[in-house]
């Protein structure tokens, strides 16, 4: 399975998220130690499906 990190940062050798910031509402954001990809933990762990790419008209 490919996560958003793996899809958008295909040249990154490792998917190593570390917590970067925690919002007051409990939401946490992470960045990859290797490539600085930024997102929620789901960006690093949940499967990415190509239909999620926004199509431009």
């Amino acid at each position: 399975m490919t996560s958003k990190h793996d899809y958008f940062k295909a040249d990154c050798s490792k998917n190593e998220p570390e917590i970067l910031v925690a919002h007051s509402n409990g939401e946490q954001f992470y960045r990859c130690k290797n490539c600085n990809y930024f997102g929620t933990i789901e960006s690093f762990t949940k499967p990415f499906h190509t239909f999620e790419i926004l199509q431009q008209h």
Side-chain angles (χ1 to χ4, degrees), residues 7-57:
Y7 184 84
F8 290 114
K9 294 291 188 175
D11 58 336
C12 181
S13 60
K14 292 182 181 178
N15 182 341
E16 291 189 46
E18 66 178 354
I19 191 162
L20 185 62
V21 66
H23 195 274
S24 60
N25 67 3
E27 193 171 18
Q28 296 177 329
F29 293 93
Y30 295 77
R31 75 171 182 89
C32 178
K33 291 179 184 178
N34 297 298
C35 67
N36 290 321
Y37 178 79
F38 178 80
T40 61
I41 195 62
E42 288 81 9
S43 299
F44 294 93
T45 58
K46 286 194 175 177
F48 176 74
H49 303 285
T50 53
F51 67 80
E52 293 183 74
I53 300 173
L54 297 176
Q55 295 184 6
Q56 296 180 359
H57 296 276

